Amino acid sequence: MSKVINLKNIVLIGMSGAGKTVVGQYISNKLNMEFVDTDDIILQKTGKTIKDIFEKFGEEYFRQLESQVILENCLEGNKVISTGGGAILKDINRKALKENGILYFLKGTIETLISNIQSSPSWKNHRPLLNKGSLYDNMQNMIRDRYKLYEESADYIIDIDNKSINEIGDEIIFIFKQ
Ligand code: S3P
């Protein structure tokens, strides 16, 4: 597919298990736009898993790294940015992402999110906020605390239930190109 010239980023937001990384990779390939996954950059920069960062330095330290990565990567535009589930919690992140991009909230039911999370054997290394106690309860609490914020932050809400990666990605591409 031909290259799309649009200086805005495509920013994917939503909970763990929404498919932000795989959908972001699909869109990036199809539109020939650079792909950025904020969690992966944190991993590359620190050489540590997110679980290790949380355990050794705490959540606030992780959030500082996350903000730094977002600010460093969103200014140029023309990128597909997959954010970590908590990226929209900070005003400074929301402002930077919105000023330079179009935000798509990948919204799914708890069943979809949990089934996607559990399909990856190493999910616990990336999700220290979910791996203690009941995954269902942790997800339910997070959905309750965050869904309003995702909805308010989003330019578009994309329903992900019962859709393939390609279907979700194509829907976003269709909106982005209009
Ligand atoms: C987090 C989600 C994770 C990761 C970190 C914190 C969150 O990313 O950034 O564990 O606060 O919801 P994914 O959304 O890719 O799972």
Side-chain angles (χ1 to χ4, degrees):
M1 193 177 280
S2 59
K3 190 163 187 154
V4 174
I5 307 294
N6 184 333
L7 287 181
K8 290 273 186 184
N9 298 306
I10 293 179
V11 181
L12 305 183
I13 62 170
M15 291 273 295
S16 292
K20 293 163 294 186
T21 300
V22 280
V23 171
Q25 280 164 338
Y26 174 85
I27 296 172
S28 134
N29 285 336
K30 268 207 135 175
L31 295 186
N32 196 16
M33 286 164 75
E34 188 183 333
F35 176 65
V36 171
D37 181 284
T38 58
D39 285 341
D40 281 352
I41 295 184
I42 293 171
L43 230 86
Q44 285 160 21
K45 276 190 166 203
T46 61
K48 293 183 171 40
T49 63
I50 293 175
K51 178 169 166 267
D52 282 346
I53 298 173
F54 270 68
E55 275 171 8
K56 294 201 176 99
F57 307 105
E59 180 172 351
E60 187 44 37
Y61 180 74
F62 172 80
R63 296 296 174 203
Q64 282 170 21
L65 290 174
E66 188 174 50
S67 287
Q68 199 183 321
V69 169
I70 288 172
L71 295 178
E72 280 169 7
N73 280 280
C74 74
L75 297 179
E76 241 176 275
N78 246 358
K79 296 182 184 176
V80 181
I81 304 179
S82 293
T83 60
I88 42 82
L89 295 175
K90 285 198 171 185
D91 285 355
I92 186 173
N93 298 349
R94 287 201 303 275
K95 189 165 179 286
L97 290 169
K98 278 199 85 79
E99 273 175 11
N100 301 285
I102 303 176
L103 272 60
Y104 301 83
F105 169 30
L106 305 193
K107 183 178 182 180
T109 60
I110 190 165
E111 288 75 18
T112 301
L113 300 173
I114 287 181
S115 146
N116 287 345
I117 288 174
Q118 288 181 328
S119 68
S120 154
S122 64
W123 71 267
K124 290 188 176 177
N125 284 335
H126 309 295
R127 280 95 181 211
L129 294 175
L130 296 175
N131 71 10
K132 297 199 181 62
S134 150
L135 175 58
Y136 191 92
D137 291 349
N138 293 338
M139 290 291 283
Q140 209 169 32
N141 291 338
M142 245 189 210
I143 287 174
R144 189 199 51 221
D145 294 345
R146 290 183 179 175
Y147 258 36
K148 194 160 175 275
L149 200 48
Y150 289 128
E151 287 178 345
E152 285 171 0
S153 309
D155 295 293
Y156 297 96
I157 297 174
I158 310 293
D159 183 4
I160 61 162
D161 292 320
N162 305 310
K163 288 185 192 156
S164 66
I165 293 163
N166 298 18
E167 283 171 331
I168 300 167
D170 287 338
E171 202 173 317
I172 292 172
I173 290 171
F174 180 78
I175 298 169
F176 185 67
K177 281 182 155 182
Q178 281 178 344

